[in-house]
């Protein structure tokens, strides 16, 4: 049974930093993993991914501010620096995500989501 467990998130002022972590279990092999986010009234969008054989990929909106890392088999983190109010959203870990760009419709497995709130 596949399970994605997220941790991190919270509230921070603009310019601050947060780190999200995600551990996926139940996979026999390593799989592509990444992060999505969804703000109220908006579609779920891909933020960053760590692709096997390719490495990190980022959405333009977070390039240079967010860093995705892979620490062990199917365990990733997302370091978010220089946070902006527009980064406020529910962040979801995803596994079995296909290639870049990552699309919500191609995701095999989701985490439960963790809220990130950035105040101005």
């Amino acid at each position: 049974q596949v399970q994605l467990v997220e941790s991190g998130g919270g509230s921070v002022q603009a310019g601050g930093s947060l780190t999200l972590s995600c551990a996926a279990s139940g996979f026999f092999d390593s799989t592509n993993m990444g992060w999505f986010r969804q703000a109220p009234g908006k579609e779920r969008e891909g933020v960053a991914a760590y692709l096997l054989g390719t490495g990190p990929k980022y959405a333009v909106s977070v390039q240079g501010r967010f860093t995705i890392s892979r620490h062990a088999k199917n365990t990733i983190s997302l370091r978010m620096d220089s946070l902006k109010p527009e980064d406020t959203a529910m962040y979801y870990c995803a596994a079995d995500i296909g290639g870049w760009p990552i699309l919500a419709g191609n995701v095999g497995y989701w985490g439960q989501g963790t809220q990130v709130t950035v105040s101005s």
Side-chain angles (χ1 to χ4, degrees):
Q1 180 180 358
V2 172
Q3 187 176 18
L4 278 64
V5 178
E6 302 166 357
S7 61
S11 298
V12 66
Q13 289 190 326
S17 299
L18 287 172
T19 298
L20 309 180
S21 298
C22 176
S25 60
F27 288 96
F28 181 77
D29 292 321
S30 296
T31 185
N32 286 337
M33 297 182 67
W35 294 92
F36 287 74
R37 66 185 181 187
Q38 188 167 21
K42 295 188 177 181
E43 293 186 354
R44 194 170 295 189
E45 63 174 353
V47 174
Y50 202 106
L51 305 180
L52 300 173
T54 301
K57 296 288 186 181
Y58 300 96
V60 172
S61 59
V62 306
Q63 182 80 45
R65 299 189 298 119
F66 290 12
T67 303
I68 188 169
S69 301
R70 193 175 187 109
H71 303 283
K73 179 183 174 182
N74 297 335
T75 300
I76 60 172
S77 64
L78 185 69
R79 168 78 177 186
M80 304 181 291
D81 295 313
S82 302
L83 283 162
K84 305 175 181 180
E86 50 263 44
D87 294 318
T88 295
M90 185 71 78
Y91 283 70
Y92 296 90
C93 178
D96 187 17
I97 59 175
W100 187 261
I102 53 176
L103 302 174
N106 293 341
V107 172
Y109 302 92
W110 293 101
Q112 77 279 8
T114 185
Q115 179 68 37
V116 171
T117 302
V118 184
S119 58
S120 58

